[in-house]
Amino acid sequence: MKFTFTAIILLILIVLFGCAEAVEQQTRDIITLKQGWQFQKGTHPEAVNPSFNDSQWESVTVPHDWAIYGPFDKDIDKQEVAIIQNFEAVATEKTGRTGALPYIGEAWYRNTFSLPNFDNTKQVLIQFDGAMSEPEVFINGEKVGEWKYGYAYFYFDISNVVKAENNSIVVKLNNHEQSSRWYPGAGLYRNVKVIVKNKESIEHWGTFITTPIITQELAKVNIKTKVIANNPKLITTIFDAEGSEIVQHETTTPFNNEFDQNLEVPNPKLWSPDTPYLYTAVTRLYSGNNLKDEIRTKFGIRSINYDRNTGFSLNGEVTKFKGVCLHHDLGPLGAAINISALRRQLTILKDLGVNAIRSSHNMPSLEQLALCDEMGFMLLAESFDEWKIPKVKNGYNLYFDDYAEKDIVNLVHATRNHPSIVMWSSGNEVPDQWGTEGVKRAKWLQDIFHREDPSRPVTVGMDQVKAIMESGFGAITDIPGLNYRVHLYEEAYERFPQGMILGSETASTVSSRGIYKFPVEKASMKQYEDLQSSSYDLEYCSWSNLPEDDFILQDDKPWVIGEFVWTGFDYLGEPTPYDEFWPSRSSYFGIADLAGLPKDRYYLYRSRWNTKEPTLHILPHWNWEGREGEITPVFVYTNYNSAELFLNGKSLGIQTKNKNGTPQERYRLMWMDVKYEPGTLKVVALDDGGNPAAGKVIKTAGEPHTIVLEPDVNIIKANGEDLAFVTVSVVDENGIPCPTATNQLNFEITGNGTFRAACNGDATSLEMFHLATMKLFSGKLVVLVQSTEVAGDIQLTVTGEGLLTATLNLLSEN
Ligand code: GAL
C-alpha cells in the first residue's frame, strides 16, 4: 500500500487527536459500586476492620432493600398512636403503617474497590444517592463521615484514606422504630459512587445552569462553574440533542473561584412535557494549557413564571399542574431504585396525561429526575415530612437542627440543572404550621432555597389552613400549597397575597382495583370485612375528598394552578382506612395499584388529563353471580359528553354530563338503576351532534381457562438490572377476561433471565413479592422478569391448577 505525504500527516493527526480524546476521557472516573457487597443485619462493629472475614455474610448487589423480602408481620413497628393529622384524639393500635416489613434495626454492608489512575494529584469522593438510614461510612478502617436522613444525597472526600488497590468500604446503617409514616425501605437502596478526579478540577455539584432570557431567536444560557485550579481556563461547549456543536465559550477570568459564562443558543428548542428537548453542556477546565477536568451536564431551555394574575406559565403558556404525588417505593421492589421500574411508572403516567410529579415527601432519586427530563414531566421536588416538631417520635425532628440546611443545600446542588424541577417544597403538613416558631422556620428554610437557587419558588404542603392564615405562615410562602381542605381554597385565596393556590395534595380517594361494594354510595372512612375499598370511587377519608371536588376548583377558579393527586400509585404502608386492621399493609389511595395496574379511577383522571387520545371506560366488571335482578349501577369514565348504555342489546338510555348537577354528575356518566343480568354491557359514546363516536363492550366471563401474558416490553438490556413487567391474567374458554379470578399461579423463568418479583395489588395479601408463586387479585397480577448480564432468550412460563399454561419469549440484548 502506498501512502502519500498528506495521508501520512492526516494519519498522524488522527492518532494524535485520538490520543488527546483518550486523555480527556481520563480526567475523571466514576465507579458505581453495584457488585460484590456483603451484607449482614445486626450489630457488627468488628466489621470495620479491613481484614474482617465477611464470607459468611449474604452477597448482595446494590441498590438493595433488605426489608422487602419480609415476611410481613403485624408486630413490626406496631404503633399505639393517635394520628393527629388524621384528626384522631385517642391512641389506637396501628399495624401496617410502615408496611409491616422488617425495616427496623442495624445492618452492615462491606465491599472493596480499586482506583485505576489514582495518585496523590487526585481527589477522591464517595457519594451516596441515599442510604436508609443514619449511615456511617468507614474506608480502610477509618470513619470518613456520617449522615442521618435516609433520603439525602451526600458525599465525603476520602482522598487521604484511599490507595490504588483493594480499598475496604464498610457502611453501617440504623433504622429506628416509629421513624416514618410509610414504608421507608432499608439499606443501600440507591447508588453508591466513587469519583476520582484531579485536585485541580470542577467542584462536586459545582455547575449551575440557568436560561434567564429566552426569545424565539435566542436563549441566553448562564453557566456558573466553581473550580479549584491554578491559572484556570474554562471552555464550555453546548451541543444539541443530536450531538451537533452549537456554541463555545472560553474564559480565563473567574470571580473568586467561580466562572460565570453566558452562551447564546440561536433558535432554541424549548423543553416542556410535550417536547422534552435536552441540550448538553460540556465544560472543560484547564490549568494553563493542561486539561484538568471535563464534565457533561444535560439541561433544558425553558422559562417558568408564577404570576399573581395568570398563575403558572411554562415557556410563556399558562399551564396547570396535572400532577400526582409519588412515594419513593417501587411496590414489589421496595425502595431499591431501578431504572426500568421508574421508566414504566412514567410511561403509565404519560398515558394518564400527567404532566407533573411531587416527590412526596422527600428528595427524588437522581434516576427519576433524569427520566423526567428525558420523558417530559415537571417536578415539585420535596425535602421533608417533618421539621422540628415530631409527627412520629423518631422522625426527621431528631435531625432537623443539625441537618436541615445541609440537606437542602445538597438537594439543590445535586439537582438544580434538571429542567424538570419547577418548584421546591420545604415540607409537608409539618406540625410547625402552628405557632410563631414555625413561621420563622418556614422563612429560614425558604431563604436557604432562594440563596442556593434564585430561579425557582418554594412551596409547603399545608393542611392547617386556618392556622396558617392567621399566623402568616401561608402568606410568606412563595406558592401557597393546600393539602385537601377544598372548602377553604376561596378564603385562602382572598387572604393570601400571592394571587394563586396550588393543590399540593388532593383527593385521597380510596379504592381497591376491581372490587365493588353495594349499595353504591358516597362514604367517608368506610370499612368492609374484607379490608378492601370500593372501586366505584365514592369513598374517601375524614380529611379528604372525591376527585370531582378538586376538578371543580381546577376548572372554575383560574387562580388554582393545578393539583397533585394523592397518589399516582399505591405504596407500601399507610393502609387507611384500615390502619387499625390486619392484614392490611399498603395504601388504597393510588390511581394505579401497587403492581402499577390501573384502577377505575385511572380512567376518570385520564378522561380529563389525556387530551390526545379518547377515553371510554365502563365499570364495574360484569360478573355478578348471585346479584341477578339487583341494582348494580354502571359508571362510564370518558372524555365524551354523553353516551348510551345497552345491556344485552336493550338500551338503558343516554346519560349526559351535567354541569349543574352533583359533582359526580358533572364528570361521570352514571346509570344508577341498572338491574344485573349476565351477558353483554355495551356503551356507545356520542359526539356533540349525538352521533356514535366510540364504543366499548364488557361481557360476563365463564370459568378461568387460559393464562394470558402481556409484557410491557419484549426486549430488555443484558445488564443484570433491566426488567420486563409482564401482566398476567386469565380468560375463559371464549377468551373473555375473568375479572374476579383468584387462582394461585406459579412462575418459572429459563434462559438468560431471572425471576425478580410478583405483585397483585392486593393491600391485604401477605404473599411475599420475591417468591415465584402468587394469587391473582381481581383477575390480574404482574411478574417482573430481570435480565442477567448475558444476552439471549428468556422464557417465562406461568402455570396454575386447571389452567392452560402460558409461555412468553423475551429477549435480552447488549
Ligand atoms: C396527607 C399526607 C400524606 C398522606 C395522606 C393520606 O395528609 O400529607 O402523606 O398521609 O394525607 O391521605
Side-chain angles (χ1 to χ4, degrees), residues 85-86 181-182 327 358 360-361 385 391 428-429 463 483-485 505 507-508 541 543-544 566 571 574 576 589:
Q85 294 75 42
N86 298 4
R181 297 190 300 114
W182 57 87
H327 266 314
R358 171 180 182 228
S360 43
H361 302 297
D385 190 50
K391 283 184 186 173
N428 172 63
E429 298 188 357
D463 64 329
N483 285 9
Y484 314 101
R485 315 296 184 273
E505 203 172 303
S508 268
C541 308
W543 58 91
S544 68
W566 191 264
Y571 51 95
E574 208 178 18
T576 315
F589 297 116

Side-chain angles (χ1 to χ4, degrees), residues 30 51 77-78 102 115 161 182 213-214 253 272 400 433 719 766 772 779:
I30 299 180
S51 54
D77 211 16
K78 189 163 71 180
L115 303 174
V161 295
W182 57 87
I213 297 175
I214 302 172
T253 332
S272 75
F400 181 80
Q433 287 166 102
N719 60 6
L766 300 182

Side-chain angles (χ1 to χ4, degrees), residues 643-783:
E644 184 165 8
L645 187 69
F646 299 88
L647 177 53
N648 292 329
K650 212 165 61 226
S651 173
L652 300 183
I654 294 176
Q655 288 290 339
T656 302
K657 290 179 191 167
N658 178 4
K659 204 171 169 188
N660 303 316
T662 65
Q664 280 64 46
E665 285 165 353
R666 180 167 168 187
Y667 295 97
R668 309 179 187 195
L669 300 177
M670 300 183 291
W671 288 260
M672 296 306 291
D673 303 326
V674 180
K675 290 203 176 117
Y676 176 68
E677 64 185 55
T680 301
L681 196 60
K682 176 173 158 192
V683 63
V684 176
L686 305 174
D687 66 18
D688 291 341
N691 306 309
K696 179 93 198 234
V697 170
I698 58 171
K699 291 182 175 172
T700 307
E703 288 301 307
H705 185 268
T706 305
I707 297 170
V708 177
L709 307 180
E710 293 162 283
D712 67 333
V713 290
N714 288 299
I715 301 174
I716 55 179
K717 278 194 219 118
N719 60 6
E721 294 181 1
D722 219 14
L723 299 170
F725 288 77
V726 182
T727 302
V728 181
S729 57
V730 288
V731 294
D732 70 7
E733 56 184 351
N734 298 315
I736 299 170
C738 302
T740 57
T742 55
N743 306 64
Q744 186 81 40
L745 302 181
N746 303 307
F747 320 116
E748 198 196 340
I749 289 168
T750 54
N752 297 308
T754 56
F755 173 79
R756 176 70 194 262
C759 184
N760 63 11
D762 178 0
T764 70
S765 166
L766 300 182
E767 289 182 291
M768 292 315 311
F769 303 120
H770 65 289
L771 301 179
T773 179
M774 190 169 277
K775 272 180 153 181
L776 291 167
F777 175 63
S778 296
K780 286 188 180 170
L781 58 76
V782 174
V783 172

